[in-house]
Amino acid sequence: MPEPSGSLADRLLIGVVSLLLLLPVLAVVVSALATDWYSGLVPSGLTLQWFARVLAEPAFQAALARSLFVAAGSVVLQVLVTVPAILVAHCYLPWLDRWMERLMVLPYALPQVVLVVGLLGLYAGGPLPLTGTPWILLLGYLPLAFPLLYLPMKNNLRALRVQELLDAGHLLGAGDLVIARRVILPCVAPGLAVGLSMVFALSFAEFVFANLLVGGNFQTLAVYLFGQRTKIGQVTAVIVVIYFAAMWLSTLAALSMLRRRPI
Amino acid sequence: MSFVEIRGFGKAYGATPVFADVELDVAEGEMCILLGPSGCGKTTLLRAVAGLARPDRGRLVIAGRDVTAASPEARGVAMVFQHYALFPNMTVRQNLAFGLQQKRLPRARIAEKVDAALALMELAPRADARPAELSGGQKQRVALARALVLEPRLLLLDEPLSALDAQIRKRLRDELKRLQRETGFTAILVTHDQEEALVLGDQVAVMNAGRIVQAGPAREVYDRPATRFVAGFIGDFNLLEPDAVRRVFGEQADHAWAIHPEAIDLLPTAAEHGGLTAEASVIDVRIHGPVLRYLVSANGTELKVDVLNRSSIAARCPGDTVRLRLDRAQVREVA
Ligand SMILES: Nc1ncnc2c1ncn2[C@@H]1O[C@H](COP(=O)(O)OP(=O)(O)OP(=O)(O)O)[C@@H](O)[C@H]1O
Ligand SMILES: [Mg+2]
C-alpha cells in the first residue's frame, strides 16, 4: 500500500475512500452477528447464534468441503499443468508464449454461458465424459485461471535473463530441471504465490460454472449460498463472512510465501 | 600442438553466417584476446567454444582431446558472461558452491574451496549477500570466482569489464592479470576495447564480420597491422592514402600508409633532422594524461601526433607552425 502522503486533504480522501470500501464489509459482518436488524440504524443485539447455526448445518459443511476441494484441486492442477507450460513456453518456445499472451483473455471476452455450453459439449461424451462430476469444474477453471498465473509469473520471468541463467547453469554442470528447480522457480515464487492465491479465490467463489456445469450434483458453497438467498438474511451474511475469511487467509498465505523468499 | 585448437569453425543462423573459417590456437597459460566491433560474432564464437552453441562446421580440441561434440559440462570450460548471469535467488556463497554441488563433492570439500575462492577475490565480507545487494565490480568478481572455483582448463570471458565504470575497470583489469599470473589459467577474453586487449593479451585476435583478420602477440598486432581494418581498430593509426603520402611527405607509395601517432616527432622548424619531414600547422592540442595529442594539418591532411607530456617540453599552441619528422621504418604499408 502506498504511504499516505503528508497533506491533510490527501489523508482525508484516503480515509473517505477506505471507509466507503470497508463499509459494506462491516455491514455484512455486523449483520452476521445481529440478533435482528429489521429497523433502526444499528441491530438490536449481537449474537453468535447464526454462526453456530450455519456451521452446524450438514448441507453447509458439505458445500464448504466441496468448495475447498475444488479450490485446492484447482491450485494443484495449475501447479501441475499451467506453471510448467508457462515456464517451458518462456524458456524454449517464444512463438507459443506469444500465442498464450494473445489468447489468454479469450475466456473473459466470451459470455460465460457460451463457455459453459462449449465445455458441456466437449466433456459430454468422447474420451473424457465428465459432465456432472467435479472434474469438469477443475478443467473449466483451467483457462479462466490462466491469466491469473501468467501475468504475475511473466512479470518475474521478464526480469530474469533466462537464457543466460540456463547457459551458466549448463556450464556449471546442471541440467535444465535442476536449474528450473533451484534458480528459476525460486525467482518466480513471488508471482507464483500471488497467482495461486488468486486461483484459489476464483475457484472457491466462482458461481456461473459451478451452477451450470455441475449444479445440484455437486453443490459448491456459491451454489449453496444462492439456494439460501430467500431465507434469513443473517444466514447469507454468515456465509459471505466465511468467504471473506477464506480469501483473507489465502492472501495471507501468499504474502507469507513472499516474505519467506526475498529476492 | 596448442592447448586450444579451433579449426575451420563456422556457424550460421539461417542464411546469415555469424562466423566462418575461424582458426585459432591458444597456448597453455596464455590469455588470448578476441577483439572486434559489435556484432562481429565474438559472443557466438565463445558460446561455440563453450558448447552452448553448436558450430555447423569445424573442430575443437582442448588439452589434446577433441571436444567438438562434447556437452558443455564435459569440456572443463568455465565462462564469465557479459551480464554476469549470477543466480539472483542465491547468496554469493551459494552461487560459488552451485557448480561444486553438481559435481557431488563432499560438503566439507565444497566449503573449503568456496572459502578459498572468497578469500582470493576478497569477497569474504559479502559472502552472504545476494547479487542484487552487490556493486557492479563485486558482481563481476563473484562471476569470476564462480568460474574459477571449478578449476577449469579453459576460462572464457565475454566482455567481463564492459559494464563497469572506468576506474573499477582499470583495477579489475590489473586484478585479472594478477590472477592469471598466480593461478596460470588459460583464457579467451572477448572485448571491443583495444587498450584492454593490449594490456591483457598475450595474444590478440582481431575479428571482423565473422572472420579472424589477424592474430598474434599483442605487440606484433599493434606494430604491424595486417590490414586497413586492423589499423583502424587498434592503436589509433593515421591512415594515409598514396596520394596523401605524396602530398605530405613527397614519397611514392603503392599502398596506404599506417602511422602510429607516437611515431611522428614534432620539431621546431629550424631543427636538424633525418628521415621524412613535412611542414604542418597545429590545429588542436589535448591532454591525454601522460601524452599530449596534437592534431596537425600538413598540406591539407590531418594527422594525429602524440608527444610525451613532460613539463620540460614547451607546449605548442594552435596556429603554430611545426616540422614533422618520421622514421621510414615506422611506416606500415597496409592493403
Ligand atoms: N540466436 C541468434 N539467432 C540469430 N542471429 C543471431 C543469434 N545470436 C546472434 N545472432 C547474430 O549473430 C551476429 C553476432 O552476434 P554476437 O552476439 O556473437 O556479436 P558480438 O560480437 O558478441 O557483439 P557485441 O560486441 O555487441 O556483444 C549478430 O549479427 C547477431 O544478430
Ligand atoms: Mg557479445
Side-chain angles (χ1 to χ4, degrees), chain A residues 71 74-75 78 141 145-146 148-149 194-204:
Chain A
S74 206
V75 167
Q78 297 290 338
Y141 289 155
F146 183 78
L148 303 183
L149 271 173
V194 169
L196 288 179
S197 79
M198 289 196 290
V199 168
F200 184 89
L202 170 89
S203 319
F204 187 70

Side-chain angles (χ1 to χ4, degrees), chain B residues 28-82:
Chain B
E28 185 155 18
E30 184 180 74
M31 172 124 31
C32 171
I33 309 291
L34 268 184
L35 179 68
S38 189
C40 73
K42 305 180 299 288
T43 297
T44 313
L45 178 58
L46 216 56
R47 285 169 46 84
V49 172
L52 298 170
R54 196 156 283 280
D56 307 327
R57 257 185 308 284
R59 234 159 44 80
L60 171 68
V61 176
I62 299 176
R65 200 161 67 87
D66 189 320
V67 292
T68 315
S71 66
E73 73 269 19
R75 298 180 177 211
V77 165
M79 184 156 168
V80 175
F81 292 83
Q82 201 164 350

Side-chain angles (χ1 to χ4, degrees), chain A:
Chain A
M1 211 183 276
E3 293 260 324
S5 66
S7 132
L8 187 69
D10 284 357
R11 267 192 249 176
L12 209 65
L13 185 70
I14 288 169
V16 169
V17 171
S18 314
L19 198 69
L20 279 177
L21 290 173
L22 276 177
L23 219 59
V25 180
L26 275 177
V28 172
V29 172
V30 172
S31 165
L33 294 169
T35 45
D36 66 79
W37 195 2
Y38 297 113
S39 56
L41 200 58
V42 289
S44 37
L46 295 177
T47 169
L48 281 173
Q49 63 152 324
W50 303 114
F51 271 95
R53 194 163 125 186
V54 170
L55 290 174
E57 181 75 47
F60 167 82
Q61 289 169 359
L64 179 63
R66 286 188 205 108
S67 274
L68 284 174
F69 168 78
V70 169
S74 206
V75 167
V76 170
L77 194 64
Q78 297 290 338
V79 168
L80 293 182
V81 178
T82 313
V83 172
I86 291 173
L87 289 179
V88 166
H90 181 88
C91 298
Y92 310 114
L93 305 169
W95 61 269
L96 181 62
D97 198 43
R98 278 194 296 280
W99 278 107
M100 283 181 169
E101 198 169 2
R102 279 178 216 154
L103 295 181
M104 143 184 98
V105 290
L106 215 54
Y108 291 89
L110 292 174
Q112 286 197 304
V113 179
V114 175
L115 295 176
V116 168
V117 172
L119 283 167
L120 285 174
L122 183 61
Y123 294 117
L128 269 179
L130 298 175
T131 316
T133 68
W135 309 113
I136 193 176
L137 256 192
L138 293 186
L139 292 172
Y141 289 155
L142 213 51
L144 274 191
F146 183 78
L148 303 183
L149 271 173
Y150 183 84
L151 291 174
M153 276 181 71
K154 277 300 269 193
N155 235 344
N156 289 150
L157 282 173
R158 268 192 277 264
L160 296 178
R161 293 169 175 275
V162 170
Q163 190 53 53
E164 277 196 7
L165 291 178
L166 285 173
D167 283 349
H170 291 160
L171 276 177
L172 295 170
D176 285 13
L177 278 179
V178 173
I179 303 164
R181 185 169 56 77
R182 292 209 40 202
V183 181
I184 313 244
L185 267 180
C187 288
V188 299
L192 194 60
V194 169
L196 288 179
S197 79
M198 289 196 290
V199 168
F200 184 89
L202 170 89
S203 319
F204 187 70
E206 203 279 339
F207 173 70
V208 177
F209 276 26
N211 193 37
L212 296 179
L213 285 176
V214 288
N217 283 340
F218 189 80
Q219 207 175 41
T220 64
L221 202 55
V223 179
Y224 174 78
L225 173 65
F226 185 66
Q228 301 292 311
R229 75 195 179 286
T230 51
K231 308 219 175 110
I232 311 161
Q234 283 89 333
V235 171
T236 36
V238 165
I239 300 173
V240 171
V241 167
I242 289 167
Y243 263 132
F244 283 148
M247 301 300 133
W248 188 61
L249 286 176
S250 72
T251 314
L252 272 191
L255 285 179
S256 80
M257 219 172 132
L258 288 185
R259 294 245 170 70
R260 211 154 43 84
R261 294 190 179 279
I263 303 249

Side-chain angles (χ1 to χ4, degrees), chain B residues 89-260:
Chain B
N89 58 314
M90 297 184 191
T91 63
V92 170
R93 190 184 292 283
Q94 289 166 336
N95 264 285
L96 299 198
F98 186 85
L100 298 168
Q101 288 163 351
Q102 303 311 313
K103 284 188 169 176
R104 313 221 172 282
L105 258 60
R107 228 167 240 270
R109 198 78 193 92
I110 293 178
E112 210 173 281
K113 280 176 181 262
V114 168
D115 283 336
L118 286 170
L120 181 69
M121 302 303 290
E122 291 161 19
L123 283 166
R126 307 296 282 144
D128 296 313
R130 282 171 210 276
E133 302 156 7
L134 299 176
S135 72
Q138 286 169 338
K139 277 186 221 168
Q140 180 53 52
R141 293 214 299 269
V142 176
L144 197 55
R146 185 177 67 176
L148 284 177
V149 79
L150 291 176
E151 291 159 24
R153 283 183 294 194
L154 174 64
L155 180 64
L156 306 174
L157 304 121
D158 191 1
E159 307 203 20
L161 307 177
S162 67
L164 304 170
D165 62 54
Q167 283 249 305
I168 306 180
R169 203 175 163 139
K170 281 221 174 82
R171 221 189 58 219
L172 277 179
R173 193 180 67 192
D174 295 341
E175 211 163 296
L176 198 60
K177 198 73 192 159
R178 172 182 64 88
L179 268 177
Q180 200 218 353
R181 257 198 321 271
E182 281 172 13
T183 58
F185 56 77
T186 310
I188 303 179
L189 182 146
V190 161
T191 180
H192 50 228
D193 183 297
Q194 58 114 346
E195 189 190 332
E196 201 171 293
L198 294 173
V199 172
L200 284 175
D202 301 308
Q203 186 193 180
V204 174
V206 183
M207 260 184 107
N208 185 28
R211 281 164 199 277
I212 292 188
V213 286
Q214 186 176 5
R219 188 71 204 259
E220 187 186 306
V221 174
Y222 181 75
D223 282 347
R224 277 179 247 293
T227 68
R228 193 180 286 252
F229 172 81
V230 179
F233 203 77
I234 210 166
D236 216 1
F237 277 93
N238 291 297
L239 198 68
L240 270 65
E241 299 301 331
D243 62 313
V245 172
R246 201 169 332 105
R247 259 186 294 119
V248 177
F249 295 108
E251 290 278 311
Q252 203 60 38
D254 297 331
H255 296 293
W257 281 14
I259 307 164
H260 278 302

